[in-house]
C-alpha cells in the first residue's frame, strides 16, 4: 500500500508530530510512504490528476529524526506520479497555518482531495466532510447538550453582552485558529484591555466566545476517535490530559501545556457516543476531542496531535492501529469496487 501524507510543508514537520509517527508505523508495516504539500498537485488537460510526491531515499527509517532527515535531505526524490498510484491520501495539514500567509494553500488538500476521491483514491478524513468543518463553527452542528454556550460574532458589543450574561467569565478565541493562539479568558466587560484583546483576536476573522468552565483549571482531556469510536487497545484509550502552565488558560501543547495520563470515565465515553452519528455521516476517520467536564470544547478534524505523548505515557503506540485501519479500508474497497462512497468507507 502507498500512503501519501498531505502536510503544510515538509520543512515544518517535526519529530513530535503525530504525522511523523503515523508515517513510521506505515513503513514498519511494509508500506510505501510519500509526502505531498499544497503546491504539489497537477490537473492536466486530459483530466488526469498528478502529484509531485516527495519520497525517501536509502533504507527505511525507524526513528522520527531519521525519517525527517531523509525527507528534508537534498537527495530525497520528488516524483511526479498519477494519483491512481496512491492507495490512501491522508490529509494532515492545518489550514489555519496557511490562512493568513498563503490563503491559496489552506484548503488545497480538501479541494484536490475531492478530485482524488473521484479517481478512486481513499482519502481521509473525507474531504467533502472536511469542507464543512473548516473552523470551530463545526462544533455548533452537534447537539447543544455536548457543547458550551457560545456566541460567534465580530461585534464587540455583542461580546460584551455575552460576557455580562456569564459571571464565571468567557473564553474568547478566533473562530479560525489552532495551537492556542490568541485565546483569552475574559472575566468581565470592564476588563481594562478588552479592546486590545478584541483587536488582536478579531484580526483573524470571526470570534467565538464560550462560557468558561471552571473544571478547565485542571486542563482538558484529548480523546482520539477512529471510525466514530474511542480509539482503544487492551483497555487503554488513546487519550491524555493536557494541563495548562501556571497562570495560563490554554492547555495546548504548543502553548506550554503538559501531558498527563487521563482517566476515561463512562461519562466521557457517553459524551463521545453522542457525537458518533454526525462524525460517521461526515466521514471523519480520525478526530481528537477536547473535553472539559461534560462538554466538548473543540473537535479537531484536520491534525489532531498527541500520539507520541500517549505512547510515552502508556507504552502504547496507537499509530499502528490507525495504519491497520487504513489497510482494512483498502481491503474493503477491493471487495466492493465502485460500490462504497469514500465518505462511507472513511468510517467503516
Amino acid at each position: 500500500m502507498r500512503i501519501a501524507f498531505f502536510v503544510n510543508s515538509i520543512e515544518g514537520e517535526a519529530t513530535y508530530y503525530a504525522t511523523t509517527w503515523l508515517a513510521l508505523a506505515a513503513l514498519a508495516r511494509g508500506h510505501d510512504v510519500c509526502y505531498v504539500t499544497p503546491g504539489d498537485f497537477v490537473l492536466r488537460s486530459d483530466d488526469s490528476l498528478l502529484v509531485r510526491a516527495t519520497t525517501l531515499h536509502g533504507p527505511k527509517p525507524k526513528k522520527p529524526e531519521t525519517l525527517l532527515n531523509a525527507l528534508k535531505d537534498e537527495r530525497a526524490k520528488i516524483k511526479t506520479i498519477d494519483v491512481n498510484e496512491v492507495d490512501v491520501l491522508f490529509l494532515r495539514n492545518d489550514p489555519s497555518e496557511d490562512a493568513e500567509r498563503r490563503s491559496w494553500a489552506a484548503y488545497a488538500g480538501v479541494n484536490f482531495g475531492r478530485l482524488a476521491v473521484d479517481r478512486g483514491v481513499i482519502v481521509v478524513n473525507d474531504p467533502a466532510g472536511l469542507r464543512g468543518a473548516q473552523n470551530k463553527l463545526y462544533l455548533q452542528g452537534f447537539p447543544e447538550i455536548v457543547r458550551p454556550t457560545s456566541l460567534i460574532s465580530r461585534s464587540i458589543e455583542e461580546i460584551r453582552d455575552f460576557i455580562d450574561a456569564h459571571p464565571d467569565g468567557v473564553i474568547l478565541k478566533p473562530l479560525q485558529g489552532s495551537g492556542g493562539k490568541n485565546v483569552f479568558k475574559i472575566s468581565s466587560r470592564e476588563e481594562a484591555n478588552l479592546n486590545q484583546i478584541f483587536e488582536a483576536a478579531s484580526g483573524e476573522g470571526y470570534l467565538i466566545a464560550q462560557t468558561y468552565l471552571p473544571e478547565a483549571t485542571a486542563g482538558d482531556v484529548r480523546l482520539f476517535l477512529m471510525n466514530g469510536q474511542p480509539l482503544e487497545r487492551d483497555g487503554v484509550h488513546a487519550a491524555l490530559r493536557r494541563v495548562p502552565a501556571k497562570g495560563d488558560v490554554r492547555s495546548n501543547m504548543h502553548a506550554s501545556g503538559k501531558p498527563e495520563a487521563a482517566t476515561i470515565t463512562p461519562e466521557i465515553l457517553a459524551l463521545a457516543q453522542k457525537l458518533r452519528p454526525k462524525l460517521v455521516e461526515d466521514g471523519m476517520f480520525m478526530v481528537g476531542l477536547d473535553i472539559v467536564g461534560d462538554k466538548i470544547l473543540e473537535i479537531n478534524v484536520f491534525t489532531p496531535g498527541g500520539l507520541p505523548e500517549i505512547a510515552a505515557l502508556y507504552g502504547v503506540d496507537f499509530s499502528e492501529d490507525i495504519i491497520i485501519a487504513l489497510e482494512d479500508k483498502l481491503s474493503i474497497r477491493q471487495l466492493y469496487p465502485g460500490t462504497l462512497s469514500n465518505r462511507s468507507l472513511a468510517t467503516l
Side-chain angles (χ1 to χ4, degrees):
M1 179 168 69
R2 174 178 280 170
I3 305 176
F5 290 96
F6 179 80
V7 297
N8 293 79
S9 71
I10 291 173
E11 296 76 17
E13 290 299 289
T15 56
Y16 57 87
Y17 280 8
T19 305
T20 305
W21 285 55
L22 289 165
L24 285 172
L27 290 167
R29 291 188 61 81
H31 303 303
D32 291 328
V33 163
C34 63
Y35 275 61
V36 179
T37 64
D40 287 335
F41 292 98
V42 179
L43 182 62
R44 289 184 174 165
S45 58
D46 62 0
D47 209 36
S48 59
L49 180 65
L50 298 95
V51 289
R52 298 178 70 253
T54 300
T55 59
L56 304 172
H57 71 278
K60 287 188 176 182
K62 297 181 179 180
K63 296 181 178 180
E65 298 83 359
T66 312
L67 170 63
L68 294 186
N69 287 339
L71 280 171
K72 299 174 184 181
D73 192 287
E74 60 183 15
R75 291 172 294 173
K77 297 179 181 178
I78 298 179
K79 297 171 60 178
T80 300
I81 60 175
D82 192 289
V83 77
N84 288 319
E85 296 181 42
V86 173
D87 295 298
V88 177
L89 175 60
F90 205 153
L91 301 178
R92 291 285 305 170
N93 70 309
D94 180 355
S96 64
E97 277 191 20
D98 286 322
E100 183 176 349
R101 185 170 55 90
R102 48 174 199 168
S103 57
W104 62 266
Y107 296 103
V110 168
N111 294 331
F112 284 100
R114 295 175 73 193
L115 298 180
V117 166
D118 292 342
R119 287 154 179 79
V121 180
I122 298 172
V123 183
V124 291
N125 290 340
D126 181 70
L130 287 176
R131 191 179 187 186
Q134 295 179 1
N135 53 46
K136 295 177 180 65
L137 191 61
Y138 184 57
L139 180 59
Q140 302 306 112
F142 290 82
E144 186 176 354
I145 193 173
V146 307
R147 48 187 170 84
T149 303
S150 302
L151 167 77
I152 296 169
S153 178
R154 279 184 56 81
S155 165
I156 192 168
E157 288 308 317
E158 288 279 351
I159 290 170
R160 288 185 193 277
D161 291 344
F162 186 81
I163 294 169
D164 286 344
H166 297 89
D168 286 337
V170 305
I171 297 295
L172 188 66
K173 53 191 174 183
L175 189 65
Q176 179 74 58
S178 65
K181 181 181 178 183
N182 286 332
V183 176
F184 302 94
K185 182 179 183 292
I186 312 296
S187 298
S188 79
R189 70 151 55 214
E190 305 305 326
E191 198 146 318
N193 60 345
L194 180 57
N195 286 338
Q196 290 89 338
I197 289 173
F198 177 82
E199 289 175 10
S202 64
E204 299 180 33
Y206 273 87
L207 298 176
I208 179 168
Q210 294 177 328
T211 182
Y212 178 69
L213 303 175
E215 301 98 320
T217 56
D220 62 17
V221 171
R222 163 66 58 84
L223 173 65
F224 278 86
L225 304 188
M226 185 175 75
N227 295 329
Q229 298 280 13
L231 179 53
E232 178 262 341
R233 188 203 301 176
D234 298 330
V236 176
H237 285 92
L240 53 80
R241 179 172 292 279
R242 306 185 305 171
V243 181
K246 187 176 181 180
D248 202 332
V249 299
R250 303 168 299 170
S251 55
N252 309 72
M253 301 301 184
H254 293 309
S256 300
K258 294 184 178 180
E260 293 183 358
T263 300
I264 301 303
T265 64
E267 290 77 17
I268 288 177
L269 295 177
L271 185 62
Q273 194 65 24
K274 290 182 175 69
L275 274 64
R276 174 175 163 76
K278 181 168 172 57
L279 292 174
V280 170
E281 173 66 21
D282 292 345
M284 298 299 180
F285 164 60
M286 187 172 74
V287 305
L289 306 182
D290 295 343
I291 304 167
V292 170
D294 62 352
K295 302 295 183 184
I296 305 290
L297 293 188
E298 291 189 20
I299 303 175
N300 302 274
V301 298
F302 281 94
T303 56
L307 293 177
E309 291 83 0
I310 290 169
L313 286 168
Y314 306 109
V316 180
D317 183 2
F318 286 97
S319 305
E320 182 179 18
D321 302 69
I322 295 165
I323 298 303
I324 291 171
L326 295 178
E327 295 170 358
D328 291 343
K329 294 182 193 305
L330 183 59
S331 296
I332 294 170
R333 166 64 60 84
Q334 291 168 344
L335 282 172
Y336 294 91
T339 302
L340 300 172
S341 69
N342 186 79
R343 185 174 287 205
S344 296
L345 193 59
T347 51
L348 283 177

